[in-house]
Amino acid sequence: MERKYNSPLPVFSLYYIAIDTEAGITPAQFETFVRQKGVYIPCYPGWRWTLLRGLRGERVGQYLMLFEIESTEHRNRYQSSNGNKTELANQFWQQQPQKIHGILAEWQRYGTFSEIPTIYTDYQLLAENKKSTVCYGPRYQELPNQEPIARIIGIHNLALRPGIKAETFETFIAENHHRIEDYPSWKFRLLKGERGNRLDQYIVMMEIESLAALNLFYPKPDIATDEADHFARAHQDTKLMYKEWKQFASFSGSPQIYTDYLSVAESLG
């Protein structure tokens, strides 16, 4: 089932993660550790994270942690406006058993963890396609005798055109995002930087159910398949809305900076 958000809306937080290649850590070692142990590091109530690896675009092979937090209230209980832990967060970690602290210390021997001074940004949700066929559920999950669930998360940076005010673009999105029809198994969200290192930046976050669902329409960056062309012709108002969008801001895809990430682990704790 699709998750039903109550007001206020969720927060999406992105943390850049780097493994210690100078110490000889390989991506396979890091991902194996995270799947076997790291996923048991507990999340604050109302938080969950997914570890992502760059699949194509600007940050191929590099890592990102995506946090989905139920609300700004849930975030603010545990993280202050400058990115530091609140007193409640400190109490949360003090209450964890020594085993958990050992796993966290081991993670930090492999690479960085999702805390300052790691580069991060909290994004507020401006719009999403509620008609999408992508349901709320695990972004990564290993299944017995089956291929793992491994969703694609596309992060596409946007920029306003000269002379366009943020309020103008955001009003257009608020009044017109209902016209968006996503490809089957794709889900559109528009996010705006709220606090952290990259404020006032917009991103389109595309959530795609699988690599196969990505490749059905875009097997290579910015190279659409016949299926994508057929879908666009069948949804002319969406195509028109995107054309109108480009009068206010850039759009997903080149020449904008973007990375399609593959989900490689998800929190269980």
Side-chain angles (χ1 to χ4, degrees), residues 13-264:
S13 188
L14 300 179
Y15 283 79
Y16 287 83
I17 300 296
I19 60 175
D20 192 351
T21 54
E22 291 185 359
I25 302 299
T26 66
Q29 289 174 322
F30 176 58
E31 291 176 26
T32 297
F33 160 75
V34 174
R35 289 172 185 153
Q36 293 180 351
K37 294 183 179 181
V39 292
Y40 295 103
I41 297 173
C43 289
Y44 301 127
W47 294 47
R48 70 161 175 159
W49 58 256
T50 309
L51 180 65
L52 309 173
R53 184 199 334 122
L55 180 68
R56 65 191 194 188
E58 296 292 326
R59 304 190 71 249
V60 173
Q62 299 184 57
Y63 292 95
L64 199 68
M65 283 184 76
L66 165 65
F67 284 84
E68 183 176 352
I69 308 169
E70 287 187 10
S71 66
T72 55
E73 180 184 359
H74 281 84
R75 178 196 60 192
N76 294 344
R77 289 174 188 169
Y78 300 98
Q79 185 189 69
S80 64
S81 59
N82 59 10
N84 285 299
K85 296 182 180 69
T86 64
E87 184 57 36
L88 188 60
N90 288 327
Q91 293 175 16
F92 177 89
W93 290 110
Q94 290 167 5
Q95 294 167 0
Q96 300 306 316
Q98 189 59 41
K99 178 181 178 180
I100 294 300
H101 289 284
I103 296 174
L104 179 57
E106 186 175 357
W107 180 309
Q108 292 170 328
R109 290 195 293 272
Y110 282 90
T112 56
F113 193 66
S114 53
E115 57 188 8
I116 56 173
T118 299
I119 292 174
Y120 83 98
T121 305
D122 289 342
Y123 291 92
Q124 59 178 293
L125 177 65
L126 296 184
E128 66 178 339
N129 180 10
K130 296 182 180 298
K131 300 172 290 185
S132 168
T133 60
V134 177
C135 296
Y136 181 83
R139 296 190 170 104
Y140 183 87
Q141 186 178 58
E142 295 185 1
L143 303 171
N145 304 315
Q146 298 181 47
E147 286 293 316
I149 292 172
R151 292 187 175 182
I152 303 294
I153 303 294
I155 303 295
H156 297 248
N157 292 77
L158 305 181
L160 297 178
R161 290 194 174 277
I164 299 298
K165 295 181 179 180
E167 294 82 1
T168 303
F169 175 58
E170 291 172 24
T171 297
F172 168 78
I173 292 295
E175 294 176 349
N176 291 278
H177 74 271
H178 67 278
R179 297 163 61 190
I180 293 174
E181 296 287 347
D182 283 321
Y183 300 128
S185 301
W186 292 47
K187 182 178 179 68
F188 160 91
R189 294 183 180 93
L190 180 67
L191 311 179
K192 181 181 180 179
E194 182 176 32
R195 65 190 201 184
N197 300 103
R198 299 192 169 185
L199 301 182
D200 299 323
Q201 287 197 6
Y202 298 97
I203 62 172
V204 167
M205 187 174 87
M206 297 299 304
E207 183 162 356
I208 306 170
E209 285 189 345
S210 66
L211 181 59
L214 169 65
N215 289 339
L216 179 62
F217 298 100
Y218 281 92
K220 295 182 180 180
D222 300 305
I223 304 297
T225 61
D226 290 342
E227 285 81 1
D229 291 337
H230 293 156
F231 188 91
R233 287 196 294 270
H235 297 86
Q236 289 294 319
D237 190 53
T238 295
K239 187 175 181 179
L240 178 60
M241 186 270 186
Y242 290 157
K243 185 176 180 180
E244 295 167 5
W245 171 324
K246 293 174 185 178
Q247 298 175 26
F248 302 101
S250 59
F251 194 68
S252 301
S254 64
Q256 301 307 310
I257 294 174
Y258 78 94
T259 304
D260 290 333
Y261 291 90
L262 177 69
S263 300
V264 296

